[in-house]
Amino acid sequence: MVDVSKIRDLRLSSLDLSKMVDMLRRYIVGAYISNIYKHGDAYFLKLGGVQGRRFLILEPGVRVHFTSMIPEWEYSDFVRIIRSVLRGRK
């Protein structure tokens, strides 16, 4: 049985992240970030140029994966700045 209290201490290493990027490469090459959302510590990148509605979830040190929907998101200064940089760019 897995001790859940120890799972919280696990973080993604640079090797884990490298392997994940390698696995996700076929989905992210050719895509562009059309918008960004924040929920808790996670950032949801809305990808354009990919088939279907896709969001790439980035939670620093914890997870990186795709989803097709996002939870209720929060507005922050960081999100506002990134959105202004992304607006109108591919």
Side-chain angles (χ1 to χ4, degrees), residues 27-40:
Y27 298 109
I28 56 179
V29 170
Y32 61 92
I33 300 170
S34 63
N35 214 341
I36 184 170
Y37 304 92
K38 183 177 187 329
H39 179 74

Side-chain angles (χ1 to χ4, degrees), residues 4-88:
V4 178
S5 65
K6 291 184 180 182
I7 292 177
R8 293 181 196 177
D9 295 334
L10 297 177
R11 295 286 183 205
L12 291 175
S13 69
S14 58
L15 183 61
D16 295 330
L17 189 57
S18 174
K19 185 63 178 170
M20 290 176 125
V21 168
D22 204 34
M23 290 178 358
L24 299 174
R25 184 180 312 273
R26 67 184 174 124
Y27 298 109
I28 56 179
V29 170
Y32 61 92
I33 300 170
S34 63
N35 214 341
I36 184 170
Y37 304 92
K38 183 177 187 329
H39 179 74
D41 292 336
Y43 293 94
F44 293 74
L45 307 179
K46 184 177 181 182
L47 299 179
V50 294
Q51 188 175 9
R53 186 174 176 193
R54 294 219 181 221
F55 295 92
L56 181 63
I57 301 175
L58 302 173
E59 190 169 358
V62 180
R63 63 183 172 152
V64 176
H65 64 88
F66 283 107
T67 186
S68 60
M69 47 192 233
I70 59 172
E72 192 67 31
W73 54 279
E74 307 159 9
Y75 197 76
S76 68
D77 288 335
F78 179 73
V79 169
R80 181 183 55 81
I81 291 167
I82 296 298
R83 283 182 171 186
S84 68
V85 170
L86 294 176
R87 191 160 290 127

